[in-house]
Amino acid sequence: MNKYMKIAIEEAKKGINDNHGGPFGAVIVKEGKVISKGHNHVVEKNDPTCHGEIDAIRKACKKLKTFNLSGCEIYTTGFPCPMCFCAILWANIGKVYYGCNTDDTEIIGFRDKFFEQSIPDKKIELCKELDREDCLKLYDEYKNITSKTQY
């Protein structure tokens, strides 16, 4: 068993045993060193965004004092849901290693596969552009203030 996946599994077990949420643990590694560990806290915190990957990303960013986790890898017990996958992309994490796939996750009652499949239709159903011109002014203000800063 991979030593980092073993840590992710142990982290997930901790979350299960403490009734924090589902069986999802994650570990972020950089240059062979564990930067952070996280697990699902959805039930404990009544926060639908506090998945294992998000927890680990937040902790890694805090520890490294940056929002850019370039050079990091993440090990997670389940294939990242769309929210977590996008967070991984935003954080610039370069590699994702996962244990279980979305079919496995569906079998134990989670809706990851449904969300993956329904995002395009939900975007059309739920989203409506509103007050674009006013928001573009805000974007211009931001652009003018931060033109010297590159993200």
Side-chain angles (χ1 to χ4, degrees):
M1 174 185 293
N2 178 278
K3 66 181 179 179
Y4 302 122
M5 188 60 78
K6 183 177 180 182
I7 295 169
I9 291 168
E10 290 170 3
E11 188 68 19
K13 285 181 181 180
K14 178 181 174 187
I16 293 170
N17 293 332
D18 292 342
N19 197 33
H20 290 172
F24 307 108
V27 177
I28 295 179
V29 176
K30 186 172 187 176
E31 298 170 356
K33 181 181 175 190
V34 172
I35 303 300
S36 67
K37 302 181 285 188
H39 65 264
N40 186 294
H41 290 273
V42 169
V43 174
E44 176 199 23
K45 295 183 178 183
N46 291 313
D47 179 353
T49 69
C50 201
H51 291 191
E53 297 93 337
I54 302 291
D55 188 37
I57 289 168
R58 288 173 179 160
K59 290 175 180 174
C61 289
K62 185 174 183 178
K63 183 174 183 176
L64 297 176
K65 296 179 174 62
T66 182
F67 56 83
N68 185 348
L69 299 180
S70 292
C72 291
E73 303 172 332
I74 189 166
Y75 294 76
T76 179
T77 56
F79 187 83
C81 74
M83 175 186 66
C84 291
F85 190 76
C86 287
I88 289 165
L89 293 176
W90 276 109
N92 297 310
I93 293 172
K95 190 71 173 177
V96 178
Y97 297 97
Y98 64 94
C100 294
N101 61 46
T102 54
D103 290 331
D104 302 324
T105 305
E106 185 175 45
I107 290 169
I108 62 168
F110 289 87
R111 303 176 291 163
D112 299 48
K113 192 174 193 176
F114 166 78
F115 287 125
E116 278 184 2
Q117 295 169 345
S118 66
I119 286 173
D121 292 337
K122 287 293 182 184
K123 282 174 120 178
I124 293 168
E125 177 186 332
L126 298 175
C127 299
K128 177 163 178 36
E129 190 175 280
L130 179 67
D131 295 328
R132 181 171 181 262
E133 292 303 319
D134 291 322
C135 292
L136 282 172
K137 290 175 188 173
L138 173 68
Y139 279 25
D140 285 340
E141 184 177 333
Y142 174 80
K143 183 178 166 186
N144 291 334
I145 291 171
T146 62
S147 62
K148 297 175 187 164
T149 305
Q150 184 75 17
Y151 286 106

